Amino acid sequence: MSYDLSAIRRYTLASYARYQFVNQLGILLANDPFWTVISLTTTNGVTGATHGVIKLTNKADTNMEFLVGLDWSVNYGAALRFGLKKQGATPSLDCYTESGKSSQYDMALQLQNPGTPAKHMAAGALSRMDVITQKECIFVMTTPITYNDTDVPVRLYLGRCKAFEVEDNSYGREFYGVFGHVPLGVADAASLEFSNATGYVVSRGVVKKNRSNQLYGEYDFVGSSQALSPGSGGRIIMSPFLLGNAQEGIRGTFWDVNTAVLRSTQFFPDGSVIDIDGARYYVLHCNIEAGSWWPQSAIATHTVAQYGYNFFDSVAVPFGTRVMLFKI
């Protein structure tokens, strides 16, 4: 059976050096049908040495634009920073510079170890990168190679979000943002709520406009799914990524992107297509997440781990395989 995969593109880079994350992402997407990529020389919003800044512009809606930059320093290692505003000649990674929370808008690319910090600062540490693009979004996943026990498996959603209610166009058309494996916009002193130890295991992203039409709204997101599929009758149980906060409740979801746990991948290998309730989904297998991330204040002194990181709010059951499902 053949499927029309014109609504989706997948790119794979078998191996890249950690400090080349942004540059290699730009190269992979150079001829993408849904997104335009431009490499920039700006250092606005980067405090350490920059190893690349790219601008990703949606071809169907050129108002939707993302800046992604890699900040590197001896003390803090590698971290991604972002900007969501359409900017002029001197663009800035302004989620970092204008948030008022500075370092808490970093998205770490490696874990720290107080005993052997140099191991995890290694610029040349290798990972594999898989990228999915669609008309409304980009999803990036990496799999560590050199330090598979300590490098962070990156999960990064850049794209539009789908609101449950009809929204005013002044802010509804700017309901798009950045969501990853590290909660963005979380103050160091108030982050224990995100710790695995408390049971409140979610991540947090930032969108360009909240429902109050304010710039850079923060939203927790959850994609809970531990129901093993297929179940009775061959039914696949998939879960959306729900986006919400204390002020608005649940506002919406990622755009046609879901998750599930498969008890067997025999009939649903990586790169296959699943039919669910009359719709078709492209299957991307995800390796299990584990570990912790450090805020910059802790990294600088090589102190103990403070917070867990999870793109998913629950680890897949041991005998299941976590997958991402992209509607095609």
Side-chain angles (χ1 to χ4, degrees):
M1 180 181 295
S2 62
Y3 299 98
D4 180 6
L5 297 179
S6 61
I8 192 170
R9 290 291 187 277
R10 179 171 180 174
Y11 307 90
T12 297
L13 183 61
S15 177
Y16 72 95
R18 180 192 291 154
Y19 74 97
Q20 284 290 318
F21 178 95
V22 169
N23 290 331
Q24 290 299 325
L25 178 60
I27 292 171
L28 282 178
L29 302 185
N31 297 307
D32 187 76
F34 311 114
W35 297 84
T36 298
V37 184
I38 299 176
S39 295
L40 304 174
T41 58
T42 181
T43 57
N44 287 343
V46 177
T47 58
T50 177
H51 287 278
V53 179
I54 58 175
K55 180 170 68 174
L56 301 164
T57 304
N58 186 265
K59 291 184 177 181
D61 178 7
T62 56
N63 183 65
M64 183 162 59
E65 192 171 275
F66 298 91
L67 288 186
V68 183
L70 192 145
D71 182 66
W72 184 279
S73 73
V74 174
N75 284 333
Y76 304 147
L80 298 178
R81 293 180 181 168
F82 306 94
L84 301 180
K85 293 190 300 186
K86 201 169 181 67
Q87 304 179 51
T90 56
S92 172
L93 299 160
D94 58 0
C95 283
Y96 179 89
T97 59
E98 296 183 14
S99 69
K101 298 178 181 177
S102 62
S103 65
Q104 288 73 53
Y105 269 86
D106 275 344
M107 187 175 288
L109 294 184
Q110 81 288 318
L111 307 182
Q112 273 292 341
N113 185 314
T116 55
K119 168 184 175 182
H120 311 299
M121 294 299 183
L126 300 179
S127 290
R128 167 190 166 113
M129 183 187 298
D130 288 277
V131 184
I132 300 287
T133 65
Q134 293 180 292
K135 181 180 178 181
E136 303 290 355
C137 67
I138 299 170
F139 179 74
V140 184
M141 180 182 82
T142 69
T143 305
I145 297 174
T146 307
Y147 301 128
N148 59 11
D149 59 333
T150 53
D151 269 24
V152 172
V154 172
R155 305 286 185 270
L156 178 60
Y157 178 92
L158 302 163
R160 194 176 302 283
C161 305
K162 185 179 293 187
F164 286 129
E165 299 180 0
V166 176
E167 298 188 338
D168 186 278
N169 202 44
S170 62
Y171 58 84
R173 72 188 299 262
E174 296 186 312
F175 186 28
Y176 58 82
V178 177
F179 300 87
H181 54 277
V182 170
L184 296 177
V186 181
D188 286 1
S191 295
L192 292 181
E193 64 187 275
F194 284 86
S195 168
N196 288 331
T198 68
Y200 185 52
V201 186
V202 301
S203 197
R204 176 179 289 176
V206 58
V207 303
K208 186 175 179 182
K209 290 284 185 72
N210 64 15
R211 283 179 61 89
S212 298
N213 206 23
Q214 296 172 323
L215 189 67
Y216 290 169
E218 295 171 358
Y219 291 84
D220 298 344
F221 66 100
V222 295
S224 180
S225 178
Q226 292 206 24
L228 284 174
S229 299
S232 178
R235 183 172 179 80
I236 303 292
I237 305 299
M238 66 178 183
S239 300
F241 288 87
L242 299 172
L243 316 177
N245 57 35
Q247 293 72 40
E248 301 177 7
I250 298 298
R251 181 178 176 185
T253 67
F254 290 174
W255 195 279
D256 291 340
V257 177
N258 300 277
T259 182
V261 177
L262 302 180
R263 60 185 174 86
S264 172
T265 59
Q266 179 180 359
F267 301 107
F268 308 109
D270 185 57
S272 62
V273 173
I274 292 181
D275 293 310
I276 306 175
D277 297 334
R280 288 175 174 169
Y281 296 85
Y282 182 87
V283 178
L284 175 68
H285 288 193
C286 297
N287 55 306
I288 294 176
E289 297 177 300
S292 302
W293 64 278
W294 277 249
Q296 284 194 350
S297 59
I299 291 176
T301 56
H302 307 306
T303 56
V304 298
Q306 294 192 26
Y307 320 129
Y309 68 87
N310 281 89
F311 186 80
F312 308 101
D313 62 342
S314 60
V315 176
V317 289
F319 36 88
T321 299
R322 171 75 67 181
V323 298
M324 294 285 287
L325 300 173
F326 300 86
K327 190 174 181 179
I328 59 175

